[in-house]
Amino acid sequence: MNINIETNPLIDRLPPHLKQFIKPQNYEDYSPVNQAVWRYVMRKNVSYLSKVAHESYTNGLKATGISIDSIPSMYGMNRILKDIGWAAVAVDGFIPPNAFMEFQAYKVLVIASDIRQLENMEYTPAPDIIHEAAGHAPIIANPDYAEYLRRFGEVGAKAILSSHDNAIYESVRTLSIVKEAASSTQEDIDAAEALVNTLQNKKVPLSEMAKIRNLHWWTVEYGLIGTVDNPKIYGAGLLSSIGESKWCMTDKVEKRLYSIDAAEIEFDITKPQPQLFVTPDFAYLMQVLDEFSNTMALRKGGFRGLQKLIDSKKIGSIELNTGLQVSGIFTEMITDEDNNVVFFKTEGPTALANRDKELIGHGTEANPNGISSPIGKLKGISLAIENMGPRDLKAYNFYDGKRIAFEYESGITIEGLNITGIRNIYGKLILIEFEDCTVTYKERILFSPNQGVFRLAVGSSITSAFAGSADFRSFNNLYHISSTTTIKQEKNEKTLALESLYAQVSALRGHKTDDDDTLLSIFNSLKTKHSEDWLLSLELLELATLNSNDNLKTAITTHLEDIKTNKPKVAHLIDDGLELIEKQITI
């Protein structure tokens, strides 16, 4: 099987700034222990979740081709996901929030291809293939939920971040890497958790991204559906956590009706959630999302929207009422007494666009140092510039190749040589270029001739402000790739020997042979050299039970009881495994 091939047209359509996050799955890197962890979690989940999960879960497992017995390959998943209009790609752990959302908007599941360690089987803060493939993928087979996920990604990709969001992202990514690295000490883990807790406890105003991340957490990750008294699970974080999927159904977890208020409720990724939200159905999720969208700068624009972009210090875009879009890092604005934006400024590479398509000749190469422009109405002229036809322009002395001076109601003045103008598809002026131009406000010079060509953004108001670029092709570095990378385990001889035992048991199970001598030999080696490993003991017990080998069953069961005594933290996992074996034999 060629596991690096991902056959799905949706992946080919992804823009370069998203493709940079994709990495090969490297299926051969999954060890026999990894496969056993997957098998245990999936068998446990299917057994329990068939009773408490939304009906889409078990149906979706079949529809998405996810096997209980082996970790899915991207190749296999994409062949089947294509039939329901989605795709999947492998990435290295957490990726930037806007990028994650944008993948969803393209109907592509982002799957962290690593898998949790045996010690973190019940829950890990790290995104892993159990969480992504077994949690997210099955539910998207439901058309209503799939559309919600796509729409959420579309809206979320436009949400504006704060510098605090960036710090939270990097700290959580670091924690997820450290916690899953076999070489990490407890001190390393404690330090990473402390940083996350410090940032999470820091009282700062919630940004748009923080609020929409909260909505994402309480629905896509930890959502319940149905009624408060009888909810079912659909959130991927619950579906992939054999610990929290049980915990969440107890009275110790408060159940609340889902509403837009959930946007203000923050979460702690390092702990079980004290409350969860219940939606009556998937359609209601879309209703709340639309309600939240109406509060975003994406739909409201104005000075508040521009201020959010300035505070973010990242590439963002504004759209004027004429349809002109300006993308870059915004650094300044001037407002009038009614808080209407009358001037804006960007620094660094800036691109101009209309209808999400860059204006030819007005990309970052033409504006390497940013742009600045007044907006608003002209003083003493009732007709807006954008509505002026050729005759109107002549009437107000707007001649190409002629000098002109005019003033805005805000008091900003422009004086320079009029070169040319650009109109949109509806015939409205959206941009005018000047040479030898001076722009002043009160006694301050906002633009001087030595800065080159002055590009006047034509429009009277900002109707939209959002994260990212209007035309994704305008910037090569739209998203930053974190410098922290997943730590690969260096395996010693003992680890490799244990993996060999796991591989032998897997082979025996696959061939369905009654080789009791081999089973006994493996068990003796396990008990002597890897006495604390409980999962392989369960797998051996399963085969001994199938083979009706009562003597070996007794020996393994006694050994497991010893492990439960010595390692009480895994006793419930062993008991759950024993229950699975008993159910399987009963069936």
Side-chain angles (χ1 to χ4, degrees):
M1 177 176 62
N2 187 341
I3 48 74
N4 290 327
I5 298 175
E6 299 174 354
T7 56
N8 195 309
L10 291 176
I11 298 172
D12 298 331
R13 292 174 50 198
L14 290 172
H17 67 272
L18 291 182
K19 285 185 176 178
Q20 67 177 335
F21 293 105
I22 300 174
K23 71 165 194 173
Q25 184 185 19
N26 295 329
Y27 196 90
E28 66 277 6
D29 287 349
Y30 295 123
S31 72
V33 179
N34 295 151
Q35 295 286 0
V37 168
W38 170 274
R39 184 170 182 267
Y40 177 95
V41 173
M42 290 303 296
R43 291 172 74 214
K44 181 60 187 167
N45 277 357
V46 171
S47 172
Y48 174 67
L49 293 174
S50 61
K51 300 186 287 285
V52 299
H54 187 265
E55 60 185 11
S56 298
Y57 175 73
T58 49
N59 295 336
L61 282 175
K62 300 172 186 175
T64 51
I66 295 172
S67 166
I68 291 176
D69 290 319
S70 59
I71 297 170
S73 71
M74 293 296 104
Y75 174 75
M77 284 190 67
N78 274 301
R79 275 189 303 129
I80 297 171
L81 284 173
K82 184 165 60 175
D83 293 336
I84 59 175
W86 280 72
V89 295
V91 298
D92 181 27
F94 281 109
I95 63 174
N98 290 97
F100 179 86
M101 297 289 184
E102 195 173 354
F103 270 110
Q104 281 186 193
Y106 278 94
K107 303 179 76 173
V108 175
L109 281 179
V110 174
I111 294 182
S113 57
D114 292 319
I115 188 167
R116 65 196 63 178
Q117 293 185 70
L118 177 59
E119 293 80 5
N120 299 325
M121 180 181 283
E122 290 190 278
Y123 172 76
T124 175
D128 75 337
I129 196 161
I130 292 178
H131 174 80
E132 311 289 3
H136 284 294
I139 300 295
I140 65 167
N142 181 294
D144 285 341
Y145 181 76
E147 174 56 19
Y148 168 69
L149 202 63
R150 184 203 67 79
R151 181 63 179 151
F152 199 106
E154 195 171 57
V155 172
K158 302 293 186 182
I160 301 171
L161 293 89
S162 67
S163 56
H164 181 70
D165 294 324
N166 297 325
I168 284 281
Y169 158 67
E170 288 290 352
S171 68
V172 169
R173 177 177 168 83
T174 298
L175 171 62
S176 70
I177 291 172
V178 169
K179 198 156 188 177
E180 284 301 323
S183 59
S184 295
T185 64
Q186 189 58 48
E187 289 76 12
D188 295 332
I189 296 172
D190 291 343
E193 283 188 343
L195 178 58
V196 170
N197 289 330
T198 298
L199 291 171
Q200 286 183 157
N201 294 330
K202 192 175 182 181
K203 299 301 179 184
V204 297
L206 295 179
S207 67
E208 283 186 352
M209 178 53 74
K211 291 180 179 181
I212 206 164
R213 189 178 64 233
N214 289 341
L215 291 181
H216 192 271
W217 183 265
W218 299 124
T219 60
V220 176
E221 296 294 347
Y222 277 78
L224 299 175
I225 188 168
T227 65
V228 170
D229 295 327
N230 185 30
K232 298 292 185 181
I233 298 172
Y234 74 90
L238 296 173
L239 293 174
S240 60
S241 172
I242 56 180
E244 282 209 87
S245 59
K246 278 191 172 182
W247 165 260
C248 77
M249 302 307 284
T250 68
D251 293 337
K252 294 178 181 179
V253 178
E254 180 188 359
K255 315 299 191 301
R256 301 182 188 177
L257 288 173
Y258 180 61
S259 71
I260 194 173
D261 295 339
E264 304 293 333
I265 309 298
E266 297 186 83
F267 57 89
D268 186 342
I269 196 172
T270 67
K271 299 175 182 177
Q273 307 309 311
Q275 77 282 308
L276 296 174
F277 293 86
V278 185
T279 180
D281 50 47
F282 290 135
Y284 182 69
L285 295 178
M286 194 76 78
Q287 181 180 325
V288 174
L289 176 61
D290 195 57
E291 186 180 353
F292 178 77
S293 300
N294 287 332
T295 71
M296 293 174 62
L298 174 68
R299 295 188 180 180
K300 297 180 76 71
F303 81 96
R304 289 188 179 89
L306 181 52
Q307 187 62 57
K308 289 176 182 178
L309 288 180
I310 293 172
D311 293 341
S312 76
K313 300 178 182 178
K314 286 187 170 292
I315 295 170
S317 301
I318 61 171
E319 182 170 329
L320 304 184
N321 62 308
T322 56
L324 179 68
Q325 297 165 312
V326 183
S327 300
I329 298 177
F330 290 84
T331 57
E332 183 185 357
M333 69 173 167
I334 298 174
T335 59
D336 62 18
E337 60 275 9
D338 297 320
N339 283 328
N340 297 308
V341 178
V342 298
F343 175 83
F344 67 84
K345 181 180 180 181
T346 69
E347 289 184 1
T350 301
L352 304 178
N354 178 238
R355 302 175 73 181
D356 298 335
K357 185 177 181 181
E358 184 177 286
L359 298 179
I360 296 173
H362 293 280
T364 56
E365 298 84 0
N367 306 288
N369 302 313
I371 73 166
S372 60
S373 177
I375 58 174
K377 296 180 180 179
L378 297 182
K379 186 176 182 180
I381 299 177
S382 59
L383 188 63
I385 299 178
E386 59 264 28
N387 294 325
M388 291 183 180
R391 291 183 180 180
D392 302 314
L393 291 171
K394 289 182 179 180
Y396 293 111
N397 296 318
F398 278 82
Y399 288 96
D400 289 349
K402 301 290 185 180
R403 298 195 71 81
I404 188 173
F406 54 94
E407 183 178 354
Y408 283 83
E409 289 182 348
S410 62
I412 296 176
T413 61
I414 295 178
E415 194 279 327
L417 180 66
N418 183 6
I419 305 173
T420 188
I422 295 177
R423 295 181 181 272
N424 63 20
I425 195 170
Y426 302 108
K428 289 182 178 289
L429 267 175
I430 59 174
L431 189 71
I432 302 176
E433 293 185 315
F434 296 86
E435 286 183 347
D436 191 25
C437 184
T438 301
V439 181
T440 58
Y441 177 62
K442 297 179 179 179
E443 296 183 356
R444 179 187 169 191
I445 296 177
L446 301 176
F447 189 92
S448 57
N450 61 10
Q451 292 177 258
V453 175
F454 175 70
R455 294 178 173 89
L456 174 66
V458 178
S460 57
S461 63
I462 296 174
T463 58
S464 180
F466 52 90
S469 176
D471 185 337
F472 68 80
R473 292 169 287 258
S474 296
F475 295 86
N476 295 324
N477 59 338
L478 198 55
Y479 296 132
H480 165 69
I481 295 183
S482 177
S483 58
T484 57
T485 56
T486 302
I487 302 170
K488 297 299 181 184
Q489 180 183 4
E490 293 185 7
K491 300 176 183 179
N492 56 31
E493 289 186 11
K494 184 176 180 180
T495 299
L496 292 171
L498 179 60
E499 289 182 356
S500 176
L501 296 179
Y502 270 89
Q504 291 177 62
V505 171
S506 178
L508 288 172
R509 185 173 60 248
H511 294 132
K512 298 181 180 179
T513 59
D514 300 338
D515 194 341
D516 290 340
D517 291 339
T518 301
L519 287 179
L520 180 59
S521 173
I522 293 172
F523 175 62
N524 287 333
S525 180
L526 177 69
K527 188 177 178 181
T528 304
K529 300 176 181 177
H530 313 279
S531 58
E532 293 188 346
D533 189 280
W534 57 271
L535 182 55
L536 187 56
S537 294
L538 283 172
E539 297 217 326
L540 285 166
L541 179 60
E542 180 186 350
L543 292 180
T545 305
L546 287 170
N547 294 349
S548 300
N549 187 332
D550 292 336
N551 291 334
L552 185 55
K553 280 173 55 180
T554 301
I556 297 173
T557 302
T558 301
H559 177 60
L560 285 168
E561 290 298 327
D562 290 340
I563 295 177
K564 286 166 60 177
T565 301
N566 296 328
K567 298 181 68 176
K569 285 187 177 181
V570 301
H572 66 290
L573 294 173
I574 294 173
D575 287 337
D576 288 346
L578 294 172
E579 183 182 351
L580 284 172
I581 294 172
E582 183 180 342
K583 283 183 177 180
Q584 176 174 300
I585 302 310
T586 301
I587 293 169

